[in-house]
Amino acid sequence: DVKVTQSSRYLVKRTGEKVFLECVQDMDHENMFWYRQDPGLGLRLIYFSYDVKMKEKGDIPEGYSVSREKKERFSLILESASTNQTSMYLCASSVYTPGTGELFFGEGSRLTVL
Amino acid sequence: GDSVTQMEGPVTLSEEAFLTINCTYTATGYPSLFWYVQYPGEGLQLLLKATKADDKGSNKGFEATYRKETTSFHLEKGSVQVSDSAVYFCALIIPNTGNQFYFGTGTSLTVIP
């Protein structure tokens, strides 16, 4: 079975803290994505990566950065967490099949910033 | 720009009722269309997809037909079960223009016995 694993299901952090969200996939997928999910807003793309050390901004990159040092791992970093970053964060991966590739999601990381 | 609009929820149905969740899209190219489902406490998973006009995607009793003339991809099921309670997302991707999916805002479905 394909698997995308997010390291933390629930996190509580304080304003100004640095936050790392880790995601690992075991499918040898080229593409990896970070989304945030908020009620009424659906999924919004933060960053994606189509290769090691490559990254592209999504729709809402402000306040976030990413790191992809190895093909299987894609990390989302909040340099200085703020309360408006309280959300559910979803990692996903896909093969490089332009336009038709299925996304495989992790179970999500629910972050609360106090 | 490219986007997906789906009916707002929440939707509450009795078991064995007929389900329709509407989805329409705007796309600059010729998209592939998807329905994803998110069960409580889980990530999203692919429910069905269609990659060209008039294709019908189907899985677990759910169906959706790619209608280019109405730019729609409505999700249907003839008889829902309690286990179908979840959030359903319509999505599209434009082939050969990158790997970005565009998701609708999601429709929450609750099926009561």
Side-chain angles (χ1 to χ4, degrees), chain B residues 52-63:
Chain B
K52 60 182 188 295
D54 300 325
D55 265 4
K56 178 185 283 187
S58 61
N59 186 25
K60 299 182 180 181
F62 291 88
E63 293 183 339

Side-chain angles (χ1 to χ4, degrees), chain A residues 9 31 33 35 37 40-43 45 50 59 90 96 98-103 105-107, chain B residues 32 34 36 38 41-44 46 49 51 89 93-96 98-101 103-105:
Chain A
R9 292 294 304 272
N31 304 322
F33 306 80
Y35 290 88
Q37 181 180 9
L41 298 177
L43 275 69
L45 181 65
Y50 52 85
D59 299 318
L90 295 172
Y96 185 70
T100 61
E102 174 184 349
L103 281 175
F105 283 87
E107 292 185 319
Chain B
S32 296
F34 304 80
Y36 280 81
Q38 184 179 33
E42 299 183 11
L44 280 72
L46 180 66
K49 69 179 183 181
T51 58
F89 292 89
I93 190 170
I94 308 294
N96 302 316
N99 298 295
Q100 184 166 351
F101 277 72
F103 284 89
T105 54

Side-chain angles (χ1 to χ4, degrees), chain A residues 15-66:
Chain A
T15 300
E17 282 193 81
K18 191 169 187 176
V19 181
F20 292 89
L21 299 179
E22 303 283 338
C23 176
V24 177
Q25 49 96 1
D26 64 0
M27 298 164 281
D28 201 35
H29 284 170
E30 295 85 359
N31 304 322
M32 296 188 75
F33 306 80
W34 275 106
Y35 290 88
R36 65 178 279 177
Q37 181 180 9
D38 299 289
L41 298 177
L43 275 69
R44 293 180 291 168
L45 181 65
I46 305 171
Y47 269 96
F48 66 98
S49 168
Y50 52 85
D51 201 354
V52 175
K53 297 192 184 294
M54 304 299 288
K55 60 184 180 184
E56 296 282 344
K57 292 180 180 180
D59 299 318
I60 52 163
E62 297 79 17
Y64 304 94
S65 62
V66 290

Side-chain angles (χ1 to χ4, degrees), chain B residues 74-86:
Chain B
H74 304 322
L75 182 68
E76 295 181 337
K77 186 174 185 182
S79 176
V80 294
Q81 305 300 312
V82 172
S83 57
D84 294 326
S85 298

